[in-house]
Amino acid sequence: MTGAPTDVDAVVVGAGFAGLYAHHRLRALGLTISGFEAAADVGGTWWWNRYPGARCDVESMDYCYSFSPELEQEWTWSERYATQPEILRYLNHVADRFDLRRDIRFDTRVTAATWDEASQRWDIATDRGDRVSAQFCIMATGCLSQAKQPEVDGIDTFGGDIFHTGRWPHEGVDFTGRRVGAIGTGSSGIQSIPIIAGQAEHLTVFQRTPNFTMPAKNAPLDPDAVAARKARAREIREAMRSSRAGVIVPMPEHSALAVDDGARQAHYEKAWNTGTLYGMVAAFNDLLVDRDANDTAAEYVRDRIREIVNDPDVAERLSPRNHPFGTKRPCLDTDYYATFNRDDVTLVDVRATPIVAITPTGIRTTADDFELDAIVFATGFDAMTGPLLGPDITGVGGVKLRDKWAAGPRTYLGIATAGFPNFFIVTGPGSPSVLVNMAVAIEHHVDWIAECIAYLRDRGLASIDATLEAEDAWVDHVNQVADLTLFPQANSWYMGANVPGKPRVFMPYIGGFPRYDEVCRGVAADDYRGFELTPATAPEPAPST
Ligand SMILES: Cc1cc2nc3c(=O)[nH]c(=O)nc-3n(C[C@H](O)[C@H](O)[C@H](O)COP(=O)(O)OP(=O)(O)OC[C@H]3O[C@@H](n4cnc5c(N)ncnc54)[C@H](O)[C@@H]3O)c2cc1C
């Protein structure tokens, strides 16, 4: 498509959980929509991440849409933590059921979005030559959608196969009889390593930073429990929305330091055995704010590692010591630590003996050469800002988003950024996003955006733009809250630390979902406090004859 742009009310970029719901919600307002998705179909995260062992780590029955009670009743999850294929089937079902594909152009990447001050509209361009003019641009581009490509010398010389967990081949990979190297021990590495180890002739795990991970205790869901849950679905959803992390977690009343050793250990053991992400993190009320309290949780996990892993030296190398517990995204696993008891699995500490290069036959560290047939990069994502800074986005006065965010992202509520009117980000930096159940965060954002658009249209307003003052105050607040916690002490992807040269800024909002929701509601109820609203320009009067 070339020539004059097509006119629509809104462009939605991305067709994962967020993009799909945005189509549904905006269509209900009567908007015309053009959707673009770089992948060949719907699913987002769950379309791209097809590595062995990929599954959610928020329980399936919580990690799904709540907007349709009928959908909630008719869909039945099979496992406590659903696999990637099952989640993808669910999102396909949602797309079919609500007819959400019809406005989406797949295999199409948005490359530029430019604000046209005269028409008060966005001019959007794609890598397939599309040009669309839209009043609103909704970036449902995901927090973890830009795979971070490995930067290792000699990578192009490798004679075997290279895979990235975030761009896994659809036909799957059989590692039987192959010597495999895995680089990266974040969530994707921790989920895939036990399964790859079960197939490969030999697996060498190259670990830079050990991570805290807890047993998922995954299991098929009991039909009676599912029925009971469905019977109380609405009530549970309400409780989720008013809980700190978008999932129901009992709020602890005690400091980890206020109880004696025996009581503390017993409490951790119970938390460990819940098989949930939040069980351990929320075991006491000060684990994320007090280093001494945090150390007790970290030591509990290290004890478990020493218990599971037979070789004390390997156990020590697997034990995280460089960051407080919970300040990098903790993981849930199935048999991760036990995998290192296998004779055909080797752990290489690349902090002690760094990788020097990839060679035609494998990986060279400062200590050894490892002969490999395949390398798996589980190196994660350019999180939160990567997908927003990929396209060339230009706002008022020709200012580029890339320049505005050169020292780190700046948003108002994580939804808007000053100087980019009618530009909405779903779960952007400065919102709870990756710290909470994202299904809840996504619905919350899309609802807020849809209500905002309805407000503008009802009043004949052309645009809405965050003021710099509101944005500055919000950024300060996000930083102040983060500084009350231990999170900034970790070199995490929350801080941009996994991408060389990326500014170190704690990106998500850690003030909790209810507090955030209260602020967002307050802003809307106060006629979009902190935003500048611009009326549509009156049409030029017709010349009198
Ligand atoms: C392996 C894995 C497991 C996870 N497990 C959980 C979990 O258990 N619980 C949880 O809460 N969260 C989890 N997450 C986070 C997950 O990303 C979110 O829960 C959710 O799927 C995000 O949905 P989204 O629609 O916002 O973004 P995505 O699903 O990332 O979709 C964004 C889409 O936008 C497209 N896109 C981006 N830029 C462009 C462009 N310029 N042009 C066109 N298309 C573009 C991408 O191709 C992508 O398909 C997990 C993430 C990963 C990677």
Side-chain angles (χ1 to χ4, degrees):
M1 204 191 305
T2 49
T6 312
D7 275 8
V8 289
D9 295 319
V11 157
V12 174
V13 190
F17 262 99
L20 289 177
Y21 183 47
H23 276 270
H24 180 67
R25 201 61 174 73
L26 298 184
R27 196 186 283 167
L29 290 179
L31 266 62
T32 53
I33 310 168
S34 252
F36 295 104
E37 167 56 63
D41 206 342
V42 299
T45 291
W46 305 102
W47 191 91
W48 292 103
N49 289 270
R50 296 168 188 246
Y51 59 83
R55 44 175 94 239
C56 54
D57 54 18
V58 168
E59 292 181 65
S60 319
M61 284 195 288
D62 295 337
Y63 182 61
C64 50
Y65 292 115
S66 72
F67 70 83
S68 161
E70 297 78 24
L71 171 67
E72 205 163 47
Q73 292 301 323
E74 74 198 15
W75 184 267
T76 300
W77 295 103
S78 68
E79 287 181 79
R80 183 182 191 192
Y81 295 106
T83 58
Q84 170 271 331
E86 187 170 7
I87 303 172
L88 187 59
R89 273 200 302 281
Y90 169 75
L91 290 170
N92 272 284
H93 170 73
V94 172
D96 292 340
R97 193 188 191 288
F98 298 98
D99 185 21
L100 300 177
R101 285 193 184 81
R102 73 169 194 237
D103 297 320
I104 306 176
R105 204 159 144 78
F106 293 103
D107 284 318
T108 308
R109 184 169 287 281
V110 167
T111 51
T114 310
W115 177 247
D116 177 29
E117 283 167 56
S119 65
Q120 299 267 292
R121 294 171 73 82
W122 284 97
D123 187 347
I124 283 135
T126 75
D127 61 356
R128 294 183 30 151
D130 305 88
R131 287 267 316 282
V132 177
S133 166
Q135 188 181 3
F136 304 104
C137 180
I138 288 114
M139 299 299 279
T141 45
C143 294
L144 303 173
S145 60
Q146 177 133 328
K148 193 188 151 299
Q149 293 308 325
E151 293 161 49
V152 190
D153 282 348
I155 192 164
D156 296 335
T157 67
F158 184 56
D161 293 322
I162 290 187
F163 304 100
H164 191 294
T165 48
R167 295 288 180 270
W168 204 257
H170 289 200
E171 62 281 12
V173 182
D174 183 3
F175 290 110
T176 308
R178 301 170 87 186
R179 297 160 303 172
V180 183
I183 298 182
T185 51
S187 186
S188 310
I190 282 173
Q191 287 187 335
S192 57
I193 281 167
I195 296 178
I196 298 174
Q199 280 182 4
E201 180 188 306
H202 193 96
L203 174 67
T204 308
V205 177
F206 296 86
Q207 172 195 269
R208 191 180 56 189
T209 312
N211 222 326
F212 292 99
T213 171
M214 295 155 286
K217 300 201 175 287
N218 187 38
L221 283 168
D222 166 29
D224 291 341
V226 173
R229 159 75 190 231
K230 285 189 178 184
R232 293 179 54 224
R234 294 289 89 194
E235 179 196 331
I236 291 172
R237 291 295 188 174
E238 269 315 302
M240 283 165 63
R241 274 190 284 269
S242 45
S243 70
R244 219 182 137 71
V247 284
I248 302 167
V249 183
M251 278 316 287
E253 288 166 12
H254 301 293
S255 156
L257 306 175
V259 294
D260 65 32
D261 283 358
R264 192 187 306 120
Q265 288 301 103
H267 196 60
Y268 281 141
E269 194 177 326
K270 212 167 130 204
W272 176 264
N273 286 318
T274 58
T276 63
L277 209 49
Y278 302 99
M280 277 294 291
V281 177
F284 292 100
N285 65 12
D286 52 356
L287 296 185
L288 297 176
V289 294
D290 183 301
R291 189 66 198 244
D292 291 336
N294 188 287
D295 283 344
T296 65
E299 194 53 23
Y300 178 85
V301 180
R302 289 191 287 260
D303 278 343
R304 298 290 71 70
I305 299 171
R306 286 188 279 266
E307 199 172 70
I308 299 167
V309 179
N310 299 335
D311 180 334
D313 180 44
V314 175
E316 183 52 32
R317 278 184 276 144
L318 285 167
S319 296
R321 296 199 181 272
N322 287 337
H323 63 279
F325 170 74
T327 56
K328 282 188 171 207
R329 195 176 197 283
C331 307
L332 287 187
D333 70 272
T334 301
D335 298 335
Y336 177 68
Y337 293 126
T339 297
F340 294 89
N341 290 333
R342 298 176 64 115
D343 294 337
D344 51 8
V345 174
T346 307
L347 178 67
V348 176
D349 176 358
V350 297
R351 228 178 252 281
T353 56
I355 293 177
V356 179
I358 292 179
T359 66
T361 56
I363 292 181
R364 176 171 302 151
T365 68
T366 50
D368 255 316
D369 269 310
F370 296 86
E371 301 271 305
L372 302 169
D373 304 307
I375 303 176
V376 173
F377 285 98
T379 39
F381 303 90
D382 182 351
M384 305 200 76
T385 51
L388 295 165
L389 298 180
D392 183 19
I393 295 167
T394 311
V396 174
V399 172
K400 305 269 183 199
L401 189 61
R402 285 177 196 150
D403 293 334
K404 179 178 170 186
W405 285 12
R410 300 190 71 79
T411 70
Y412 182 35
L413 307 176
I415 297 178
T417 185
F420 296 77
N422 292 0
F423 182 84
F424 295 105
I425 307 166
V426 184
T427 63
S431 77
S433 57
V434 290
L435 295 178
V436 303
N437 176 357
M438 288 205 65
V440 172
I442 285 168
E443 283 189 328
H444 173 271
H445 269 200
V446 172
D447 286 341
W448 194 95
I449 292 165
E451 280 156 28
C452 176
I453 289 176
Y455 178 98
L456 299 177
R457 289 169 75 89
D458 287 350
R459 288 160 183 76
L461 297 165
S463 68
I464 182 166
D465 190 8
T467 66
L468 261 183
E469 297 71 45
E471 178 173 287
D472 288 347
W474 183 251
V475 171
D476 285 349
H477 175 62
V478 171
N479 289 333
Q480 278 160 11
V481 182
D483 287 342
L484 295 173
T485 73
L486 302 174
F487 277 86
Q489 294 185 20
N491 285 328
S492 62
W493 57 254
Y494 299 140
M495 294 287 291
N498 63 328
V499 178
K502 189 165 172 170
R504 298 286 174 101
V505 177
F506 187 74
M507 294 184 283
Y509 175 60
I510 199 173
F513 193 73
R515 165 80 187 123
Y516 175 76
D517 179 37
E518 190 187 311
V519 174
C520 290
R521 280 175 201 269
V523 165
D526 222 354
D527 293 315
Y528 294 91
R529 171 171 28 91
F531 285 95
E532 198 178 347
L533 307 176
T534 307
T537 327
E540 295 281 320
S544 52
T545 50

